[in-house]
Every structure is written in C-alpha cells, then in structure tokens.
Amino acid sequence: MRQPLVAITSDVRAFENYTWHAAPDQYLKAAYEAAGVIPLIVPSFGDGLDIDAILDGVDGVLVTGSKSNVHPSLYGVEPTEAHEPYDPARDATSLPLIRRAIERGVPLLAICRGIQELNVALGGTLATEIQELDGRMDHRAPQSEQQAERFAIRHPVRIKPGSCLANVMQADMVQVNSVHRQAIDRPAAQLDIEAVAEDGTIEAVSVKNARGFAVGVQWHPEYWVKSDNPSRKIFAAFGDAARAHKASRERLQAAE
C-alpha cells in the first residue's frame, strides 16, 4: 500500500535570478520521516489552481511556517511596517486551500504562519509585535547564528483537558519552542483554543466539529521530531489521520 500524499504550502522567493516556490527542508523531512507521508509542494499560483483537484489527489495538508506574514488587509487591519514582510501569492493560495480542506474533511496540520493563516482563513484576526504588549513574554527566537539555539525548546504551554491535542500528547502541559512575533488576537468562531502559554498567548487551536484532524500550533514541532517526544507525537497523529483518510477514500472508490 502506497504512503499517503500530503500537500505542502509554498513560499515565493526570488534569488539567483529565479522566482522559487519552496518549502523549508525541516517540514518536508518531518512529514516524510515522522508522519510517514510523502510531501508534495503546491505552487502558490492563487486562484489559478484547481483546489479541489489538488485535494482529490492528497490525503492531508501541511501548512508551514514562514518568515512572511499574512497581509493584514485580509483580517481588516491597516498595514504597517510592523506587519511586514508579506507573501501575497502564498496568502492567495493557502487560505482557500485551508478552507476547502476543512470543508472536505482532509486532515490539516498548520504550523506557525500556518496557525495564523488558519485563523484568518476562518475569520479571525492577528496581533503583531506581541512582545510589546503588556504582560507578554518575548516569543521571538533568540539572536544566534545556530538554528538549534534559535529553535531551542524553552517555555511551557498548558493544554486544554479533553482536547484533540490532549489526546495526542497524553499530557496537560508540554515544553515548546518559540520563534514568532505575531500571534492570534481574536480567534475565529470556528476554532477551539487547545493550548496557551503562561502569558496567555494562544499556542494551539483545533477546528470545531471538523470532519477530520484539523489542528494548528504556534510553535515548531518539525524541528525536533527526532529527539522530542511531543513534537514527534504531533506529526505521528497527523500521519495517522492521513492514512485513515486514504483508507476511507479507497473504500469509497472500491464501492463505486
């Protein structure tokens, strides 16, 4: 039986005289090695893509983190320099992909920028430079040339009892890394808050009454799937959901 295929969102980057549609290696490896799925990068072609055709061919969607931010006009906020940088082609692709995946019950895992896209796609808003807000800790990565130091696991999050994430983690608190300066402000009505940091920052959500696995996390489990058990569990749960979705699709096809 073939491995499940999972659609991966892409960033649009210009370098070496080319425009690239790319995804960071850590996400691809985590999907392949920890979730046991085959990742396929979806180009950010916006409404030029047939989203349903993509979802017809995959068993899950992984929405990656990125240096860029969702454009604030998409959640009713006036753009400022603090909201930059942007990737409008990614916004035009990932937001409809997220909405349609949820509608169709395709398993969804959204990480960092991904959880923010998930919230905006469903009608929520974001806050920028949260380290400047009263009572908030600094969630940005520490200054370092070493990625392992930037992505170091460094603060706890409290998990809502009985939530999807609690079932995955089998714990009410886990330690996570923190590499962001934006976060969910007003959560979309369709989302349940699954975990919060000690300062109240929303760290994880799930989609209410979702037909399939649909979880977003603000931290970066992809970086530590080989050595951190909670990080591995998130990707393993996503992989299990993708396999279940694949099996269900095959049963329906066999019955036709």
Side-chain angles (χ1 to χ4, degrees):
M1 184 175 66
R2 70 164 176 83
Q3 288 174 279
L5 305 177
V6 166
I8 309 286
T9 52
S10 63
D11 301 324
V12 179
R13 296 284 185 267
F15 59 95
E16 295 182 349
N17 295 319
Y18 292 95
T19 298
W20 301 73
H21 294 246
D25 181 66
Q26 292 290 347
Y27 294 94
L28 303 177
K29 283 184 175 176
Y32 182 69
E33 296 174 355
V37 301
I38 297 175
L40 301 176
I41 298 174
V42 176
S44 287
F45 290 161
D47 59 11
L49 293 175
D50 184 337
I51 297 295
D52 277 314
I54 293 169
L55 295 175
D56 284 343
V58 301
D59 309 297
V61 174
L62 175 59
V63 190
T64 67
S66 176
K67 184 176 181 179
S68 69
N69 295 315
V70 179
H71 199 280
S73 64
L74 295 171
Y75 51 93
V77 171
E78 189 70 23
T80 69
E81 287 187 9
H83 294 94
E84 298 176 1
Y86 306 128
D87 187 343
R90 170 162 170 162
D91 293 342
T93 306
S94 58
L95 269 63
L97 179 63
I98 288 168
R99 285 191 285 261
R100 191 62 179 138
I102 292 168
E103 289 169 0
R104 292 186 49 164
V106 178
L108 175 76
L109 175 59
I111 295 173
C112 195
R113 188 195 210 267
I115 190 179
Q116 296 169 18
E117 288 173 301
L118 171 60
N119 189 49
V120 172
L122 298 180
T125 65
L126 306 176
T128 194
E129 305 298 354
I130 60 170
Q131 71 279 355
E132 297 176 1
L133 301 177
D134 288 343
R136 297 292 187 98
M137 61 182 279
D138 191 344
H139 287 259
R140 295 173 298 179
Q143 294 291 324
S144 175
E145 294 298 319
Q146 303 298 318
Q147 284 292 81
E149 293 180 6
R150 295 184 68 249
F151 284 83
I153 293 173
R154 61 193 182 95
H155 76 81
V157 298
R158 185 170 298 279
I159 300 171
K160 179 182 176 182
S163 65
C164 176
L165 199 60
N167 291 333
V168 169
M169 297 295 191
Q170 293 296 297
D172 58 7
M173 185 176 290
V174 294
Q175 296 285 329
V176 304
N177 48 21
S178 191
V179 192
H180 63 101
R181 60 186 179 86
Q182 290 197 318
I184 290 175
D185 184 13
R186 176 177 55 79
Q190 200 174 339
L191 296 179
D192 271 327
I193 298 172
E194 296 248 331
V196 295
E198 292 177 312
D199 64 355
T201 298
I202 296 172
E203 293 279 351
V205 297
S206 64
V207 178
K208 296 177 182 177
N209 303 314
R211 293 171 55 195
F213 182 93
V215 171
V217 298
Q218 185 59 71
W219 66 91
H220 286 269
E222 80 285 350
Y223 199 90
W224 299 107
V225 290
K226 290 185 176 179
S227 59
D228 178 62
N229 201 36
S231 296
R232 182 195 59 78
K233 284 181 176 180
I234 291 174
F235 273 88
F238 176 57
D240 288 345
R243 280 180 285 277
H245 183 74
K246 176 178 177 293
S248 177
R249 289 201 305 147
E250 290 176 346
R251 285 194 298 271
L252 288 174
Q253 291 168 357
E256 292 177 352

